[in-house]
Amino acid sequence: MKLWSKGLEPDKMIEEFTVGNDRELDLRLARYDVEGSMAHIRMLESIGLLAKDELDVLLPALEEIAAMIERGDFTIEPGIEDVHSQVEFMLTARLGDVGKKIHSGRSRNDQVLVDLKLFTRDELRSLAAETEALFKRLQALSEEHKDKLMPGYTHLQVAMPSSFGLWFGAYAESLADDMQMLLAAYNIANQNPLGSAAGYGSSFPLDREMTTRLLGFRDLHYNVVAAQMSRGKTERAAAMAISALASTLGHLAMDSCMWMCQNFGFISFPDELTTGSSIMPHKKNPDVFEIMRGKCNRLQSVQNEIALLTANLPLGYNRDLQLLKDILFPAFNEMRQCLRMADFMLQHIRIKDGILDSSTYDYLFTVEEVNRLTLSGMPFREAYRKVGLEVADGEFKPVKSVHHTHAGSIGNLCNDRVAKKFYSIYDLIAR
Ligand code: ARG
């Protein structure tokens, strides 16, 4: 039976095609659907559309459904289209006619919207927490290994000295930028669409400020059409944040693959964190980082998928929007998995000592030498030429020590200031 049933069952094929895997995806929205309904009926009571005694039977019944969801006992029965219908049918089955009253002044269009806002807000909070764990790990590694030098490359050619302090610290600070994107997406999600109903409001005097307060939203989507338009925009903003994170992690994964390669050999991991080959007995492959790189590359296309799905949709609700769940929900999971895995792997990273002792890296120190000559009075261009000629003649002798003191350099990482920057953003999501 459908809420909008006029007595005829739609053809099974049509149902399968239009519902698809939406029931399964909707299970993730169930607790938010109940939360939204609770706020909505409290508000209906406050404006006289529900009697106090009706509210008093509806709220415990919804709480019971919430407990079922919590226990994992909640299902969307076959033949019931979505989570919104399921909750209403359950209430009606238990309470009779009063169950049918909860839908006054709303539509499944704002119901799914409010579910998605609450869900996205939580998912972004959870991604922010995972990001913070990785951030802490990277900062700790940066401090621990700040004196260990490694080659810095440009054009993948040996360039200038770098360090593990810089390498780890760079990814930590990059996550601070990603946190800005998470915060932007979070703020977009953190607005109340409830009361926009089918997308054009209601003739009931709905108290939208009240539901905003009850659901803990920062603000509301005032304009009811804008509220409906936020379906798609909210998902897209979240996907953009995921894309930013994925780009950072994809890079980290690529670096890790490369530094694990024997030609570099800068880092390694315990055997049990690497994978073997079916033919080459010596192999310790970086499959974890390869899968991470692949997943992160794919995750960066989620925002494009959303952009294409929503491009040029007519204003107002369109069923196409349902498919957004199928794009975004798995992306949240994958992103979380990648963040966790990166943190787990880094927990076990081993770093080679004395990397720069090898003569392969002698030329990393040419700029140090040019700068030393410049500091002792020789004009820079002349010093550059002199060292250049030494290199050309095979006579360059590096002094393998570095003295970098400016902010953000090998000798002055400013990790404490980076942490301040990171937490000034993170705290706005986590509080
Ligand atoms: N499953 C639907 C979705 O995600 C719920 C809203 C249905 N609204 C409608 N007018 N058919 O969009």
Side-chain angles (χ1 to χ4, degrees):
M1 249 276 273
K2 302 290 166 295
L3 291 172
W4 39 262
S5 175
K6 294 176 184 76
L8 290 171
E9 279 301 302
D11 183 87
K12 194 98 198 89
M13 255 173 71
I14 301 293
E15 158 143 358
E16 268 174 30
F17 189 73
T18 53
V19 176
N21 64 345
D22 198 46
R23 281 192 197 94
E24 212 178 290
L25 294 163
D26 263 8
L27 286 179
R28 286 178 77 174
L29 296 181
R31 53 180 283 223
Y32 304 105
D33 200 72
V34 172
E35 195 183 338
S37 287
M38 283 174 148
H40 182 67
I41 59 173
R42 281 203 169 98
M43 183 277 291
L44 287 183
E45 191 267 340
S46 80
I47 61 168
L49 277 174
L50 265 184
K52 177 80 175 67
D53 57 329
E54 290 174 323
L55 181 68
D56 288 346
V57 295
L58 282 166
L59 282 177
L62 280 168
E63 258 152 31
E64 223 174 277
I65 298 175
M68 272 179 80
I69 295 165
E70 194 68 31
R71 287 197 304 273
D73 291 343
F74 177 88
T75 49
I76 300 173
E77 292 156 43
I80 292 189
E81 205 174 22
D82 52 34
V83 67
H84 327 293
S85 316
Q86 178 70 36
V87 171
E88 195 174 323
F89 280 125
M90 281 167 82
L91 281 181
T92 310
R94 269 172 222 194
L95 306 173
D97 277 356
V98 64
K100 296 180 187 160
K101 288 196 168 184
I102 69 164
H103 209 57
S104 315
R106 70 175 179 176
S107 144
R108 279 183 300 164
N109 296 354
D110 66 337
Q111 208 178 338
V112 65
L113 255 172
V114 81
D115 294 3
L116 285 166
K117 292 280 191 182
L118 294 168
F119 166 78
T120 304
R121 196 172 67 168
D122 268 7
E123 290 292 316
L124 290 169
R125 229 185 239 146
S126 136
L127 284 187
E130 301 287 347
T131 304
E132 193 238 1
L134 180 60
F135 174 81
K136 277 205 293 218
R137 170 90 49 212
L138 287 162
Q139 279 225 316
L141 286 166
S142 171
E143 282 298 315
E144 186 184 340
H145 301 289
K146 65 175 170 216
D147 297 324
K148 289 193 185 150
L149 296 181
M150 72 190 299
Y153 297 86
T154 65
H155 310 265
L156 215 47
Q157 302 282 308
V158 161
M160 282 180 69
S162 181
S163 71
F164 281 94
L166 273 182
W167 185 55
F168 289 122
Y171 283 100
E173 187 165 356
S174 202
L175 289 178
D177 286 345
D178 302 338
M179 195 52 77
Q180 293 276 19
M181 303 287 282
L182 280 171
L183 176 63
Y186 181 80
N187 285 335
I188 289 172
N190 201 5
Q191 304 177 84
N192 184 16
L194 200 59
S196 58
Y200 298 95
S202 164
S203 54
F204 293 129
L206 305 175
D207 184 350
R208 300 190 61 212
E209 268 85 10
M210 180 175 172
T211 52
T212 302
R213 255 192 334 274
L214 288 174
L215 294 168
F217 282 115
R218 186 177 61 102
D219 206 342
L220 39 76
H221 276 299
Y222 292 95
N223 184 307
V224 289
V225 177
Q228 180 56 55
M229 277 171 86
S230 78
R231 186 140 187 219
K233 284 196 98 165
T234 308
E235 288 89 336
R236 191 162 163 173
M240 285 165 100
I242 287 175
S243 172
L245 272 175
S247 152
T248 305
L249 239 60
H251 263 290
L252 178 69
M254 174 56 196
D255 284 357
S256 302
C257 289
M258 198 152 78
W259 302 159
M260 280 169 82
C261 160
Q262 288 82 353
N263 295 68
F264 298 88
F266 303 159
I267 62 172
S268 61
F269 291 87
D271 286 358
E272 60 278 19
L273 303 190
T274 60
T275 48
S277 149
S278 58
I279 178 171
M280 297 165 281
H282 65 283
K283 283 311 245 354
K284 287 173 191 161
N285 292 328
D287 291 28
V288 170
F289 290 111
E290 290 168 337
I291 294 291
M292 191 182 297
R293 184 174 58 195
K295 281 182 187 270
C296 286
N297 285 342
R298 281 186 61 197
L299 281 168
Q300 289 174 72
S301 74
V302 169
Q303 56 176 339
N304 293 347
E305 244 185 285
I306 291 177
L308 284 175
L309 180 73
T310 54
N312 306 332
L313 281 187
L315 201 56
Y317 178 84
N318 301 279
R319 189 74 180 267
D320 319 40
L321 294 168
Q322 174 178 294
L323 302 176
L324 285 165
K325 294 182 222 170
D326 202 19
I327 304 174
L328 189 64
F329 289 14
F332 277 129
N333 289 355
E334 295 244 306
M335 192 68 250
R336 196 168 19 244
Q337 236 188 3
C338 287
L339 285 163
R340 266 185 209 163
M341 191 46 89
D343 183 42
F344 174 76
M345 293 299 281
L346 289 178
Q347 197 182 329
H348 301 283
I349 194 168
R350 293 171 182 158
I351 288 154
K352 188 173 163 192
D353 281 318
I355 296 170
L356 299 196
D357 294 348
S358 157
S359 61
T360 312
Y361 303 119
D362 282 359
Y363 294 145
L364 288 174
F365 295 91
T366 58
V367 182
E368 305 293 307
E369 183 57 15
V370 171
N371 289 358
R372 203 184 55 75
L373 292 169
T374 306
L375 281 174
S376 62
M378 192 182 284
F380 176 82
R381 205 34 81 203
E382 214 170 291
Y384 174 93
R385 236 180 76 80
K386 179 174 165 1
V387 174
L389 286 173
E390 281 174 25
V391 169
D393 296 344
E395 270 157 21
F396 174 71
K397 294 272 172 302
V399 179
K400 293 195 172 182
S401 67
V402 293
H403 303 284
H404 293 192
T405 56
H406 68 73
S409 64
I410 295 174
N412 183 9
L413 294 170
C414 300
N415 281 333
D416 50 345
R417 276 184 264 169
V418 172
K420 231 186 204 165
K421 174 162 74 172
F422 180 90
Y423 283 102
S424 72
I425 314 158
Y426 175 68
D427 289 347
L428 296 173
I429 303 180
R431 82 201 139 142

